[in-house]
């Protein structure tokens, strides 16, 4: 039996595929390369030294999903595929509802038809909306402040309903905080198509001269240095969280949310200073206006994942910054 990885060529998906293969899992990977590149599939094979079946396929296509499920014996799905740009989701909400909700619906229908009852879902800390206090644990109230967040929250709701209706169904809802960094080998890392929106890819673009300078969004927040605080997590730690969740869905039933974070908050200036120091490079930046929708602070209580999944993040901020830059230097991005 195999694990189906949707969106397996993307940033978190590709790192997870490598760890699954290293752990001896049999995987089937699908991606439509909307925000990833075919090269990632080759790199996963090269780095892991293992082969697997790949489908260039769209999760919104019933025919594509039927083909994958009928040609393979799928035990569980790790569901990464989805659009993820917050600002774009505000401009084009229907695009997000159609792809993220419609695609997940199609995946779930195919699972139902083929008797597959285990799923690990890429949720996000965005389901906590603007948290009233920090650190955030899984019992905090859920809300969405943009269409992207609505799709994450609605998919969580869909999975809670599916698990309620079918007592044999198991769904791990993994609420990611801010993944950065890259595989230690330096061959694979974050490589988005188009203009990036997140802090680390923008820092990288400034360091490689693709962008003139970084704008720090606001320095008047009620935080120690005035800039926003987030829970940055090494992408390899995050990938390993999926292996722990796989073990969990194999033995447990029901829909269960887990924060995947380090539990430590770092400010935008902490990230800039650490990146500059460990990589011996200058990041030109200016202080700009606040970005609408940014919470002042968002970091996790990661204890539930440790207690129930036996997982915790091991890699620190210096390694995250070093590995992110190492990938760029190595791959000549
Ligand atoms: N930032 C800047 N300048 C930039 C880009 C970002 O100062 O050019 C700051 C942001 O204000 C924020 C921090 O860097 O304080 C991190 O921003 P990101 O855009 O990298 O990440 P977010 O915390 O905004 O978003 C992440 C995920 C989303 C998720 C959200 C809420 O990318 O998918 O967390 O949990 F929805």
């Amino acid at each position: 039996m195999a694990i189906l990885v949707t969106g397996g060529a993307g940033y978190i998906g590709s790192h997870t595929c490598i760890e699954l293969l290293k752990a001896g899992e049999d995987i089937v990977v699908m991606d439509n390369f909307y925000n990833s590149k075919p090269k990632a599939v080759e790199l996963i094979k090269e780095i892991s030294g293992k082969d697997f079946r790949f489908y260039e396929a769209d999760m919104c296509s019933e025919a594509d999903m039927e083909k994958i499920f009928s040609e393979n014996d799928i035990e569980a799905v790790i569901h990464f595929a989805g659009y993820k740009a917050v600002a774009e989701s505000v401009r084009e909400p229907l695009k997000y509802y159609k792809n993220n909700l419609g695609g997940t619906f199609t995946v779930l229908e195919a699972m139902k038809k083929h008797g597959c009852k285990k799923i690990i879902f890429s949720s996000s800390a965005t389901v906590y909306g603007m948290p009233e206090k920090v650190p955030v644990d899984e019992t905090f109230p859920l809300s969405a402040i943009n269409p992207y967040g609505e799709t994450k929250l609605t998919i969580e709701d869909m999975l809670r309903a599916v698990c309620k209706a079918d007592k044999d169904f198991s769904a791990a809802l993994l609420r990611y905080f801010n993944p950065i960094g890259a595989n230690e080998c330096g061959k694979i890392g974050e490589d988005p198509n188009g203009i990036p929106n997140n802090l680390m890819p923008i820092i990288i673009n400034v360091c490689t001269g693709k962008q003139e300078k970084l704008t720090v969004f606001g320095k008047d927040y009620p935080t120690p240095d005035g800039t926003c605080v987030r829970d940055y997590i090494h992408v390899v730690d995050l990938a390993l969280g999926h292996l722990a969740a796989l073990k969990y869905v194999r033995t447990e039933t029901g829909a269960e949310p887990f924060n995947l974070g380090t539990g430590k908050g770092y400010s935008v200036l902490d990230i800039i200073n650490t990146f500059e120091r460990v990589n011996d490079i200058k990041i030109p930046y200016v202080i700009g206006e606040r970005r609408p929708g940014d919470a002042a602070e968002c970091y996790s209580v990661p204890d539930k994942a440790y207690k129930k999944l036996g997982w915790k993040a091991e890699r620190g901020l210096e390694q995250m910054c070093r590995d992110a830059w190492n990938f760029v230097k190595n791959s000549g991005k």
Side-chain angles (χ1 to χ4, degrees):
M1 292 193 100
I3 310 300
L4 173 62
V5 185
T6 74
Y11 174 44
I12 307 171
S14 59
H15 284 82
T16 303
C17 287
I18 292 168
E19 299 308 322
L20 287 163
L21 290 164
K22 275 170 45 183
E25 295 289 348
D26 188 11
I27 64 172
V28 173
V29 179
M30 63 174 278
D31 205 296
N32 66 355
F33 300 127
Y34 175 82
N35 194 25
S36 59
K37 299 180 179 71
K39 189 165 180 242
V41 179
E42 297 317 311
L43 285 168
I44 297 167
K45 293 183 180 176
E46 186 188 316
I47 294 162
S48 66
K50 304 250 176 74
D51 203 6
F52 56 85
R53 206 174 234 202
F54 176 78
Y55 291 85
E56 183 169 348
D58 188 337
M59 65 169 169
C60 294
S61 158
E62 278 180 35
D64 282 1
M65 294 316 303
E66 177 55 29
K67 183 173 162 63
I68 294 170
F69 273 87
S70 56
E71 288 181 1
N72 301 279
D73 193 2
I74 304 295
E75 177 202 1
V77 176
I78 306 185
H79 183 34
F80 292 105
Y83 296 160
K84 61 168 191 177
V86 173
E88 184 190 46
S89 82
V90 176
R91 288 194 307 272
E92 296 191 65
L94 297 181
K95 174 175 170 177
Y96 275 69
Y97 298 138
K98 184 172 184 185
N99 185 68
N100 294 6
L101 300 181
T104 303
F105 181 78
T106 310
V107 170
L108 286 170
E109 276 206 321
M111 288 175 68
K112 184 170 186 195
K113 182 173 171 203
H114 292 269
C116 175
K117 296 187 177 197
K118 299 175 180 65
I119 188 166
I120 294 166
F121 171 57
S122 296
S123 189
S124 162
T126 194
V127 299
Y128 298 116
M130 294 286 234
E132 268 178 22
K133 55 182 175 112
V134 282
V136 178
D137 73 40
E138 290 85 349
T139 65
F140 271 41
L142 304 179
S143 67
I145 51 170
N146 54 60
Y148 159 77
E150 281 170 13
T151 67
K152 292 291 176 194
L153 192 46
T154 303
I155 294 168
E156 284 203 1
D157 287 339
M158 280 160 79
L159 292 171
R160 277 185 278 268
V162 167
C163 288
K164 202 171 165 192
D166 181 346
K167 298 293 176 214
D168 295 331
F169 209 99
S170 177
L173 315 173
L174 304 185
R175 295 176 179 161
Y176 308 156
F177 282 69
N178 292 55
I180 58 170
N183 188 286
E184 287 88 343
C185 72
K187 291 181 184 166
I188 197 162
E190 187 165 18
D191 192 8
N193 295 335
I195 300 159
N197 308 290
N198 296 111
L199 179 63
M200 187 54 83
I202 293 172
I203 288 180
I204 299 286
N205 273 0
V206 171
C207 290
T208 54
K210 287 192 190 121
Q211 202 174 313
E212 196 198 333
K213 53 183 181 291
L214 167 74
T215 301
V216 174
F217 295 141
K219 203 179 177 295
D220 56 352
Y221 285 97
T223 60
D225 66 21
T227 67
C228 291
V229 167
R230 294 288 180 274
D231 185 340
Y232 295 90
I233 174 170
H234 196 293
V235 67
V236 173
D237 278 327
L238 191 61
L240 291 169
H242 293 73
L243 270 71
L246 182 59
K247 226 188 244 173
Y248 180 86
V249 296
R250 278 176 167 149
T251 54
E252 308 294 325
T253 55
E256 208 52 58
F258 296 100
N259 282 345
L260 295 190
T262 63
K264 294 188 191 76
Y266 290 104
S267 72
V268 178
L269 293 181
D270 288 335
I271 302 297
I272 295 173
N273 293 336
T274 307
F275 193 97
E276 288 189 332
R277 180 168 47 78
V278 299
N279 295 318
D280 194 19
I281 194 165
K282 269 258 142 313
I283 304 172
Y285 72 88
V286 291
I287 305 294
E289 295 294 304
R290 289 183 179 197
R291 182 172 65 176
D294 273 346
E297 295 187 279
C298 185
Y299 55 96
S300 68
V301 178
D303 301 8
K304 183 176 172 190
Y306 185 58
K307 278 189 204 120
K308 292 209 166 196
L309 305 179
W311 170 90
K312 70 173 169 37
E314 308 273 358
R315 294 158 179 79
L317 186 61
E318 294 193 351
Q319 189 174 350
M320 299 182 212
C321 292
R322 221 181 282 121
D323 288 342
W325 185 233
N326 188 31
F327 162 64
V328 179
K329 281 192 295 185
N330 253 353
S331 59
K333 288 281 161 210

